[in-house]
Amino acid sequence: MTLFGWAFDVAERKLSESLPRRWSHVQGVAERARSLRSAAGEEADLLESAAILHDVGYAPDIATTGFHPLDGAVFLRSIEAPDRLVHLVAHHSYAELEACLRGLSAELSEFTDERGPIRDALWYCDLNTTPDGEEVDARERIAEIKQRYGPGHLVTTFITEAAPELLAAVDRTRQRAEAAVS
């Protein structure tokens, strides 16, 4: 079984029944990852695996801190997922900033943010996917998140502060994808 096949099975078991909308989202994120196969090269399976698992920490039986990147990474480490996959999940979509806002920086620091093309690509895939799994422009997605959570919510504060870094990763990924095709 491929890494993605294993990751899909884990994500499906944890999300499909308990959180069907989240399950739709992660499947859409994995579709975006699949579209980046040429840019991801030999790491395409890793990217798709991180995409399908990036929100596994929302699963009710996994959520302990309420911060899904951390909860997902702790869970994946406990089932002996590959380290790099665990770290990508822990740091998806600028989790470092949100961990700081939540007072969870020390806990997240157990995991390494690789700050490379695959990490950027995972952020790209997440930000270009609606909660229902459809493709969307990252800027529209950020606006949707702000509207959904409303003013004064920690997530709104986070996404507002994170937007420049998130969009920079999206732009870098788009450039890498275009270069891989030409």
Side-chain angles (χ1 to χ4, degrees):
M1 176 180 287
T2 65
L3 179 59
F4 179 73
W6 173 84
F8 185 94
D9 288 347
V10 170
E12 183 177 36
R13 275 195 318 273
K14 293 296 178 183
L15 299 173
S16 66
E17 288 185 29
S18 63
L19 298 168
R21 190 171 189 213
R22 182 70 50 191
W23 176 233
S24 294
H25 170 71
V26 300
Q27 289 179 89
V29 174
E31 284 180 37
R32 304 293 92 68
R34 202 165 305 114
S35 75
L36 295 173
R37 284 190 81 73
S38 61
E42 295 177 2
E43 297 183 311
D45 196 44
L46 175 64
L47 174 60
E48 287 184 60
S49 299
I52 199 75
L53 285 169
H54 80 282
D55 279 351
V56 73
Y58 278 115
D61 64 327
I62 294 171
T64 56
T65 68
F67 183 46
H68 74 279
L70 178 60
D71 293 339
V74 168
F75 166 72
L76 291 170
R77 183 175 57 192
S78 78
I79 62 169
E80 300 180 356
D83 286 343
R84 195 156 169 226
L85 176 59
V86 170
H87 296 287
L88 284 165
V89 168
H91 284 279
H92 79 271
S93 301
Y94 205 10
E96 183 177 2
L97 175 61
E98 190 170 349
C100 180
L101 294 171
R102 291 177 178 271
L104 293 169
S105 292
E107 292 84 347
L108 191 66
S109 71
E110 294 178 33
F111 305 96
T112 304
D113 183 356
E114 66 180 59
R115 303 179 192 276
I118 297 301
R119 190 253 354 222
D120 283 358
L122 179 58
W123 292 18
Y124 169 94
C125 295
D126 191 17
L127 281 167
N128 283 289
T129 306
T130 69
D132 296 312
E134 300 302 317
E135 190 167 6
V136 68
D137 178 77
R139 285 156 183 82
E140 290 176 35
R141 175 83 160 116
I142 289 169
E144 178 272 322
I145 291 168
K146 288 179 183 182
Q147 180 182 9
R148 182 166 23 118
Y149 285 92
H153 195 281
L154 183 134
V155 173
T156 302
T157 301
F158 157 71
I159 201 71
T160 301
E161 291 181 26
E165 186 64 26
L166 292 168
L167 293 173
V170 166
D171 292 343
R172 287 189 299 267
T173 300
R174 189 170 286 121
Q175 291 168 355
R176 289 180 188 117
E178 289 169 1
V181 173
S182 38

